[in-house]
Amino acid sequence: MTLTAEPTTSTGSQPFTIVPLSGSIGAEIVGLDLRDLSDETVAAIRQTWLHYKVVFFPGANLDPVEHLAFASRFGEPTEGHPVIPGLDGHPEVFEIDYTKAAELYSSYGDISTRARGIHWHTDVTFVKRPPLGSILRAVTVPPAGGDTLFSDQETAFEWLSPSLQEYLLTLTAVHDGAAQFKPILDAVGKGTWEGETFTKLDPVEHPVVRTHPETGRRSLFVNPGFTSHIKELERGRERRSARLPLHPLGA
């Protein structure tokens, strides 16, 4: 399948319209009721997702139960977050509500303005087995601004020179969530991931370049929020992390 500037239609048992949103990443999927999908249509959605990396379902309006049921069609859902508690009765779903900023600050402290920040990141890379993906459900959308942005790390890797690609394939990144989430973990007492509980966040290692098991495509798997350093590179006396080129449209 190649990218096109015009909407295309799936060949699944429940046809839907695909509307590409940029040159290499993102598409809207229009015309489906996510509460009632055939296995063939789920497979078609998955192929669209693999191609466009991020897909949007305008007007889906799922509640938490429907949200979880939809997620279950693509794999086994994890907890919503290893550290941040999920919704009551739905640990697989956690709420992001910035109208509760004062309440969150009083409970967990300030995690939003730390030096490395969590602005550009892949979700939960600081565990041994990161999730396949995330499903975000927009409940309250501002009339302007407040965008959630996405970067294409497959294309970022493809744009690098062959020699730099080969070099990056030899490197290992250390991911650590303690800088952002230790205050929350200390406040709640324990975290849970894939049914196992823990009381501290230990750094984990992942390849700087990962190969997607379904598409075979390679992507950069580092981010300024959770990647503390590169294992094979020596850090300076001021413990400044080595800088790797990321997506020119990202951070």
Side-chain angles (χ1 to χ4, degrees):
M1 180 163 51
T2 58
L3 288 167
T4 173
E6 298 296 328
T8 59
T9 302
S10 82
T11 58
S13 62
Q14 297 161 279
F16 55 82
T17 300
I18 303 169
V19 184
L21 299 176
S22 75
S24 72
I25 184 174
E28 288 186 346
I29 292 180
V30 182
L32 288 177
D33 181 354
L34 302 187
R35 302 165 185 82
D36 182 22
L37 299 173
S38 68
D39 291 343
E40 185 180 359
T41 300
V42 170
I45 292 173
R46 190 183 192 96
Q47 289 304 309
T48 305
W49 176 33
L50 290 173
H51 182 72
Y52 290 99
K53 294 97 170 177
V54 55
V55 292
F56 304 85
F57 301 90
N61 297 324
L62 303 179
D63 63 27
V65 173
E66 294 164 338
H67 184 164
L68 180 57
F70 176 64
S72 299
R73 303 298 299 274
F74 298 89
E76 182 180 353
T78 66
E79 292 79 4
H81 193 276
V83 177
I84 301 174
L87 296 178
D88 289 342
H90 301 288
E92 303 88 353
V93 182
F94 82 92
E95 180 183 49
I96 302 173
D97 186 350
Y98 290 107
T99 66
K100 300 178 181 178
E103 176 185 336
L104 293 172
Y105 182 86
S106 65
S107 298
Y108 306 134
D110 183 7
I111 66 168
S112 63
T113 58
R114 295 183 181 277
R116 291 206 307 274
I118 54 175
H119 302 291
W120 284 104
H121 65 282
T122 298
D123 286 341
V124 196
T125 65
F126 53 89
V127 297
K128 290 182 179 179
R129 202 167 79 119
L132 169 69
S134 300
I135 300 179
L136 307 179
R137 180 170 60 95
V139 177
T140 303
V141 180
D147 300 295
T148 298
L149 305 177
F150 302 88
S151 66
D152 182 353
Q153 296 303 299
E154 288 182 355
T155 300
F157 181 74
E158 290 175 359
W159 286 354
L160 300 176
S161 67
S163 59
L164 183 52
Q165 289 179 355
E166 290 301 316
Y167 176 60
L168 294 179
L169 287 168
T170 69
L171 300 180
T172 307
V174 178
H175 295 245
D176 191 348
Q180 285 77 28
F181 296 113
K182 185 178 183 300
I184 301 178
L185 185 60
D186 290 343
V188 301
K190 65 179 181 180
T192 306
W193 187 249
E194 295 190 299
E196 298 184 5
T197 60
F198 56 89
T199 57
K200 66 174 183 175
L201 290 166
D202 294 319
V204 298
E205 296 180 2
H206 297 298
V208 165
V209 180
R210 299 196 69 166
T211 302
H212 197 285
E214 294 177 78
T215 66
R217 298 190 65 186
R218 291 169 169 171
S219 64
L220 294 172
F221 198 68
V222 290
N223 65 83
F226 303 132
T227 303
S228 62
H229 62 284
I230 305 303
K231 182 179 179 180
E232 293 81 4
L233 301 183
E234 182 178 350
R235 289 185 284 181
R237 285 177 293 181
E238 297 180 7
R239 299 184 64 81
R240 291 174 293 183
S241 298
R243 283 191 170 272
L244 289 178
L246 297 179
H247 196 291
L249 300 181

